């Protein structure tokens, strides 16, 4: 599947943003859907993962602030980001399937600044 991201942009510290990742085809048979973020010169970091049965794994750095969800009927993955901090500034990418062999979205810049 092809993944198209939307959302993101500029937020103030403490603010909220929602990222959306729309798939071109069905995601019902894709177990893991994920969000990663990456800064220049750094390794891509897992932010949140959700399985087809709704189980989630959230990175410690964003636990309690970020929520991942998916709507298989709409073939869409979401990342709700609350209580944003400047250190959340990064390029966020969605993934369907696996890190090494799955599909990736185009990336969305999230900037948290006052």
């Amino acid at each position: 599947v092809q993944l198209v991201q939307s959302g993101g942009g500029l937020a103030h510290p403490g603010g909220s943003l929602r990222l959306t990742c729309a798939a071109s085809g069905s995601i019902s048979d894709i177990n893991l859907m994920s969000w990663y973020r990456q800064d220049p010169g750094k390794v891509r970091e897992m932010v949140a993962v959700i399985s087809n049965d709704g189980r989630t794994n959230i990175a410690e750095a964003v636990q309690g602030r970020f929520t991942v969800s998916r709507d298989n009927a709409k073939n869409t993955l979401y990342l709700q980001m609350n209580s944003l901090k400047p250190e959340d500034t990064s390029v966020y990418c969605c993934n369907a399937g696996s890190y090494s062999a799955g599909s990736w979205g185009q990336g969305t810049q999230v900037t948290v600044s006052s």
Side-chain angles (χ1 to χ4, degrees):
V1 295
Q2 291 184 326
L3 303 177
V4 177
Q5 297 178 220
S6 59
L10 175 65
H12 294 301
S16 298
L17 288 171
R18 188 174 82 157
L19 303 183
T20 299
C21 175
S24 60
S26 175
I27 64 171
S28 299
D29 293 332
I30 300 175
N31 185 30
L32 298 179
M33 301 285 293
S34 310
W35 288 100
Y36 287 79
R37 63 188 184 188
Q38 185 171 23
D39 296 324
K42 294 187 178 181
V43 176
R44 196 170 284 178
E45 173 191 22
M46 190 278 290
V47 176
V49 181
I50 184 167
S51 64
N52 219 350
D53 61 3
R55 290 177 295 173
T56 62
N57 183 18
I58 309 295
E60 184 175 351
V62 302
Q63 278 183 3
R65 301 188 295 118
F66 289 14
T67 303
V68 61
S69 61
R70 62 192 289 173
D71 187 335
N72 285 355
K74 295 182 178 179
N75 298 319
T76 303
L77 174 71
Y78 303 97
L79 183 68
Q80 179 66 43
M81 304 183 292
N82 299 329
S83 302
L84 282 162
K85 302 177 180 180
E87 52 263 43
D88 295 320
T89 296
S90 188
V91 175
Y92 286 73
C93 296
C94 60
N95 174 275
S98 68
Y99 184 96
S100 58
S103 301
W104 290 93
Q106 80 276 21
T108 300
Q109 177 69 46
V110 170
T111 302
V112 184
S113 175
S114 56

